[in-house]
Amino acid sequence: MFVFDLDGTILIDSHNIHPSNLRAINMLIEKNKRIIFASGRMLPSVRKLLKRYFSMEFPIIAYNGSVVWTPEHGKIMELRIEPKRAAEIVETLRDLKIHRQAYVDDKLVVEEDNEYARSYSEHSQIELTFVDDLAKLVAEHGATKLLAIAEPERLDAIVPKLRERFNDVLIFKSFSNYLDFVPSQTDKGRALRVLAEKLGFDLSDAVAFGDNDNDVALLQSVGLGVAVRNGTKGLKEVADVVVEENFLGGPGNFILDLLARGLID
């Protein structure tokens, strides 16, 4: 089984899979290997991207592990930040004058039309849903994930206080300028274990690829964890193997080499 993160790992930009990665994945499909995608993106964003490249659908871990979905069963897990807490986070980010957005019922929801919202919409290929009061919305529905977007230095400066105040929510960077807020039980490794139990496969036989700190638990949960060279220091420290950068097709070249050497049957 092969598990792939998207951004920074098999994608060379927001929308395109590196040709080597695509070739390798298609060869794995031909060999009837199980393929799973594990991303911080929204579920609709992941499905939309994959539909451009493949005629079949795959199990997906979305929102950094808050949602697990399979083509056969639909959502088999969905975690949410509880409504009151989600509203408090939105209000805090609003007071700090930092862009905030919420993921509610697989919609990308914002209360301000600005460059951050538009850029993210382009990145994820998902339309924006506008509301007058984001805090009010999440106070009613909760949120699968919240996201703050700002300059990296600005986010770094506020993370310690945010983690102290909202210690029942996981807060981490998925990109240098993206700060994620997800339910405390959320991580890609836990989500993969839920998927393994549902579909009946052994994680010791799995290979996972990632680039960021949100992939640490994912790589630690499988038999072989692979980081790309452009990955974070923390991820490369826990990886079993470090391959070429995403823009060189590192994951795909690694798999193609294993196939050529007969190490994948």
Side-chain angles (χ1 to χ4, degrees), residues 23-33 35 56:
R23 181 176 170 225
I25 292 170
N26 280 323
M27 290 183 71
L28 292 174
I29 293 171
E30 289 175 8
K31 287 183 169 289
N32 294 314
K33 302 302 180 185
I35 307 296
M56 60 184 294

Side-chain angles (χ1 to χ4, degrees), residues 44-107:
S45 176
V46 178
R47 292 183 67 190
K48 187 173 182 178
L49 186 149
L50 296 177
K51 191 174 182 180
R52 290 176 45 221
Y53 289 97
F54 305 103
S55 59
M56 60 184 294
E57 292 202 278
F58 307 87
I60 292 170
I61 294 167
Y63 302 99
N64 281 313
S66 292
V67 166
V68 180
W69 179 91
T70 76
E72 303 84 4
H73 306 98
K75 289 182 182 178
I76 61 173
M77 185 181 83
E78 182 170 16
L79 305 174
R80 292 194 179 202
I81 302 172
E82 62 94 11
K84 181 180 178 183
R85 206 54 160 166
E88 290 172 350
I89 294 169
V90 168
E91 289 166 352
T92 298
L93 294 173
R94 185 190 288 158
D95 290 343
L96 290 169
K97 293 182 170 51
I98 288 179
H99 174 75
R100 58 269 164 209
Q101 55 194 46
Y103 305 77
V104 179
D105 296 329
D106 289 326
K107 293 181 180 178

Side-chain angles (χ1 to χ4, degrees), residues 4-12 18 21 209-212 215 226 228 230 235 244-247 249-251:
F4 298 95
D5 170 55
L6 294 178
D7 295 284
T9 302
I10 66 168
L11 299 186
I12 52 177
H18 189 282
N21 298 331
F209 298 83
D211 75 303
N212 217 318
D215 297 313
V226 184
V228 286
N230 55 285
L235 185 70
E244 292 176 310
E245 291 87 346
N246 68 314
F247 56 83

Side-chain angles (χ1 to χ4, degrees), residues 101-169:
Q101 55 194 46
Y103 305 77
V104 179
D105 296 329
D106 289 326
K107 293 181 180 178
L108 173 56
V109 189
V110 297
E111 60 185 355
E112 293 180 345
D113 187 356
N114 57 33
E115 61 178 303
Y116 294 116
R118 293 293 174 186
S119 176
Y120 189 89
S121 176
E122 169 66 19
H123 164 80
S124 64
Q125 296 289 282
I126 295 294
E127 290 184 6
L128 297 168
T129 298
F130 292 95
V131 295
D132 294 330
D133 189 337
L134 190 60
K136 181 179 179 181
L137 175 77
V138 299
E140 295 172 355
H141 300 280
T144 309
K145 186 175 90 167
L146 298 169
L147 185 71
I149 305 178
E151 296 74 17
E153 302 78 13
R154 184 125 191 260
L155 294 178
D156 291 340
I158 63 173
V159 164
K161 289 187 177 180
L162 289 172
R163 284 178 174 161
E164 181 179 356
R165 178 172 179 185
F166 304 112
N167 58 11
D168 54 343
V169 175

Side-chain angles (χ1 to χ4, degrees), residues 161-179:
K161 289 187 177 180
L162 289 172
R163 284 178 174 161
E164 181 179 356
R165 178 172 179 185
F166 304 112
N167 58 11
D168 54 343
V169 175
L170 288 180
I171 303 173
F172 56 87
K173 280 188 168 184
S174 55
F175 276 92
S176 63
N177 59 332
Y178 291 176
L179 188 64

